[in-house]
Amino acid sequence: MNLNRLRAKFNKKFGANTARVASDLEVLSRITYGISSQCLTLDLMLGRPGFPAGRLTEIVGLPSVGKSALAYHVLAECQRLGGVSILLETENAVEPERLKAVGVNIQDLGLFYPEYIEQGLEIISTSIEDIRVIQKFTGPVVIVLDTIAGTPCAAEYEGGYEEKFMAAAARSIALGLRKLIRPLAEHKVVLIFLNQLRSTMEQYGERFVSYGGKSISSSSSIRVRLSTKQSEQVKVGAKPIGAWTNAITIKNKLASPFQFTKYLFYFDKGID
């Protein structure tokens, strides 16, 4: 059986790199680099040298568990390696002092404020194309969206309060991710979505669900869930200054899932 003939035929008909053989996949599937979280136990739990390039990573959790701080550490590490760090901020809650505390150089940080989901996904897609194709930058690139749960879709943003938008955000996210996953893998960019857990009214099963439907969890290669307990807070006198954060990989396509670790997170300084 001549697979090379089939490969040449489909590449001619549908474009280069449409058909490949197993030896080609060796180059395609390899994670060329990863960006460390600056936390050794967390990196070991992921099973790779940090958050992987060319893949989508979702960090989920309840409020005040350190999701943004963890993402800031990844941005800082990317800058330390001479890469490009981009933060899409939709909650208008970013503080320069918090970024500086974990080592982010705010002078070299790309900061964008998308008004709705479609705009944010377009910013990500355009940034990847501009950095990799037009500027031909070959170093590490990290893009963080903080947070997908705080971003309305275009219909919600432009509509009235009395209108109903059943699953509009989920449909927009699903469509955007389907268009984004391939260029993300092709250009080897680290993409991190921060997401929030919301309480459900179900009496049985999961007590919390993440925002945006199932498309983010389906498209992501790694999902990390963060949680803290009040009993594990670190205090100076009666004042809490940090907490032990529990992290579990509830999905991992690159290593064994359901791995657990714990690290110390200070509210003003980030991860210890």
Side-chain angles (χ1 to χ4, degrees):
M1 184 66 183
N2 192 346
L3 291 178
N4 289 329
R5 181 177 176 178
L6 279 176
R7 182 173 59 165
K9 182 176 182 179
F10 288 125
N11 283 338
K12 182 178 179 181
K13 184 175 183 180
F14 299 115
N17 298 327
T18 300
R20 301 171 185 265
V21 294
S23 59
D24 297 329
L25 290 176
E26 191 175 309
V27 176
L28 282 178
S29 61
R30 186 176 72 245
I31 306 301
T32 55
Y33 67 88
I35 303 297
S36 172
S37 63
Q38 299 185 339
C39 177
L40 178 59
T41 56
L42 186 55
D43 288 345
L44 292 173
M45 180 190 72
L46 296 175
R48 292 295 173 104
F51 292 98
R55 306 297 182 97
L56 169 63
T57 298
E58 183 187 14
I59 302 174
V60 299
L62 293 171
S64 300
V65 295
K67 299 186 295 295
S68 296
L70 175 57
Y72 294 167
H73 277 281
V74 182
L75 292 172
E77 181 66 14
C78 181
Q79 288 182 334
R80 192 185 69 81
L81 296 173
V84 176
S85 294
I86 295 176
L87 174 62
L88 281 70
E89 226 287 329
T90 63
E91 295 181 314
N92 295 298
V94 65
E95 290 290 335
E97 295 305 319
R98 291 191 65 203
L99 291 168
K100 293 178 183 178
V102 300
V104 176
N105 181 359
I106 61 175
Q107 302 298 326
D108 293 331
L109 177 66
L111 186 58
F112 301 98
Y113 290 92
E115 296 175 329
Y116 43 86
I117 289 170
E118 293 86 343
Q119 190 180 92
L121 293 173
E122 185 176 351
I123 289 173
I124 294 172
S125 178
T126 304
S127 298
I128 293 173
E129 182 180 0
D130 186 270
I131 293 170
R132 292 299 198 209
V133 179
I134 299 176
Q135 300 188 47
K136 300 186 184 303
F137 179 76
T138 58
V141 178
V142 171
I143 301 177
V144 173
L145 176 56
D146 184 11
T147 154
I148 192 71
T151 315
C153 63
E156 293 172 331
Y157 184 78
E158 298 168 355
Y161 288 103
E162 70 283 355
E163 297 181 56
K164 299 185 184 299
F165 306 98
M166 186 65 69
R171 288 195 297 270
S172 298
I173 294 171
L175 175 60
L177 287 178
R178 285 195 293 268
K179 296 168 66 175
L180 189 61
I181 290 301
R182 176 143 189 179
L184 183 69
E186 181 180 351
H187 297 298
K188 304 300 182 186
V189 172
V190 178
L191 180 60
I192 300 175
F193 279 6
L194 307 187
N195 205 347
Q196 296 175 1
L197 293 177
R198 305 286 174 85
S199 300
T200 68
M201 299 185 66
E202 299 292 336
Q203 292 184 341
Y204 306 100
E206 285 285 340
R207 292 179 51 210
F208 302 101
V209 295
S210 58
Y211 176 84
K214 299 291 186 181
S215 59
I216 304 176
S217 59
S218 299
S219 302
S220 60
S221 293
I222 294 178
R223 298 187 75 209
V224 181
R225 179 169 176 173
L226 305 182
S227 62
T228 60
K229 297 179 181 179
Q230 190 172 2
S231 60
E232 295 183 326
Q233 288 182 348
V234 178
K235 298 182 179 181
V236 174
K239 179 183 178 182
I241 62 169
W244 284 96
T245 300
N246 303 308
I248 183 172
T249 49
I250 52 180
K251 179 182 180 181
N252 194 342
K253 286 186 175 181
L254 308 178
S256 299
F258 305 110
Q259 302 300 305
F260 172 83
T261 191
K262 181 181 290 190
Y263 58 86
L264 183 56
F265 166 66
Y266 289 107
F267 302 140
D268 59 343
K269 296 184 294 186
I271 298 173
D272 185 1

